[in-house]
Amino acid sequence: MVHFVGAGSGAADLITVRGERLLEEADVVIYAGSLINPELLKYTRKDCDIYNSAEMTLEEVLSVIQKSESEGKTTVRLHTGDSSIYGAVREQFDELDKLGITYDVCPGVSSFCGAAASLKAEYTLPNVSQTVIITREAGRTVVPDRESIQSLAAHQSTMILFLSTSLTEKLQKDLLSGGYPAETPAAIVYKATWPEEKIFRCTVGTIHQTVTANNLRKTALIIVGNCLGDSYLRSMLYHPDFSTEFREGNQ
Ligand code: SAH
């Protein structure tokens, strides 16, 4: 049995209770070494075999899993954040299906949620934005043309950019030409929820300058949108005049 486990965004105690239990029980752990807090490995048993997938190919990961299966062992494949976001898990699922190896998935706290907590932000504010776009600037990995930053920027919704801190010159141009005014609030969160976390608040017009001046090349998210600004309408849900299934309003 293989368990894909979301490790959470950084702080070791942000793994789920289920994820921690699976780590404690595992015979073999393959973890994404570049982004996972090594503190999490302290939950594993002394005799657990640990592999760092940052140094491995998909084929090597699969062969470790296959060997573990043939010995009747349990493997945890530990992914950063939540494995559904840029986790390269689908290709593993499909290969395991072909091999007839059973697996399940334990969700994790994605870094975009960790960053919201660090920023004390709400990505969906009434009258500001009710949509969160999770995307990346096109780099070595191809992004379909119809999902260009420029076209997504036309919505002026909340946008979370993964994997884009080395591409901010182009990113900033695309955000501006796509439709965000230069003064739209933005933030760069470096290593959200890690002890060394840093937050830089800026605007769409100063993203590139902020990233270069602070040398934020890796492990950072760029968050854009008026949800980071000061104006919004209060929610109807908790308004005294508003009735709900659970509460009678004044009107
Ligand atoms: N599955 C992960 C994302 C993996 S892609 C998740 O759900 O968070 C790797 C990218 O995620 C990094 O380049 C960076 O853009 C972002 N990232 C991961 N952890 C981060 C953190 N703690 N703080 C800020 N960005 C992070």
Side-chain angles (χ1 to χ4, degrees), residues 154-174:
H155 301 287
Q156 290 190 45
S157 66
T158 302
M159 196 187 289
I160 320 274
L161 293 133
F162 281 73
L163 297 156
S164 300
T165 41
S166 61
L167 303 161
T168 46
E169 194 168 358
K170 178 161 190 307
L171 173 70
Q172 183 172 318
K173 272 192 209 137
D174 291 346

Side-chain angles (χ1 to χ4, degrees), residues 1 14 81:
M1 181 76 184
L14 277 181

Side-chain angles (χ1 to χ4, degrees), residues 62-158:
L62 289 167
S63 86
V64 169
I65 292 176
Q66 260 183 298
K67 178 166 177 284
S68 167
E69 284 296 305
S70 68
E71 293 166 0
K73 292 179 172 171
T74 301
T75 305
V76 164
R77 177 73 174 102
L78 193 58
H79 280 273
T80 178
D82 184 82
S83 64
S84 69
I85 309 281
Y86 305 113
V89 279
R90 174 63 192 269
E91 60 197 29
Q92 298 176 70
F93 298 163
D94 287 350
E95 290 304 318
L96 294 181
D97 284 339
K98 280 189 220 156
L99 294 165
I101 295 175
T102 322
Y103 56 90
D104 63 12
V105 182
C106 171
V109 176
S110 178
S111 57
F112 80 92
C113 300
S118 303
L119 290 166
K120 301 190 176 71
E122 180 176 346
Y123 292 144
T124 52
L125 284 176
N127 258 40
V128 174
S129 177
Q130 291 290 291
T131 305
V132 183
I133 294 179
I134 289 174
T135 188
R136 66 186 297 171
E137 181 57 272
R140 281 203 297 171
T141 303
V142 179
V143 174
D145 278 347
R146 61 182 181 278
E147 294 178 14
S148 69
I149 297 290
Q150 253 175 314
S151 63
L152 298 176
H155 301 287
Q156 290 190 45
S157 66
T158 302

Side-chain angles (χ1 to χ4, degrees), residues 1-28:
M1 181 76 184
V2 182
H3 304 286
F4 288 81
V5 175
S9 51
D13 58 355
L14 277 181
I15 193 167
T16 61
V17 174
R18 184 190 299 176
E20 183 185 332
R21 180 179 55 76
L22 291 169
L23 270 183
E24 284 164 0
E25 291 170 2
D27 299 300
V28 176

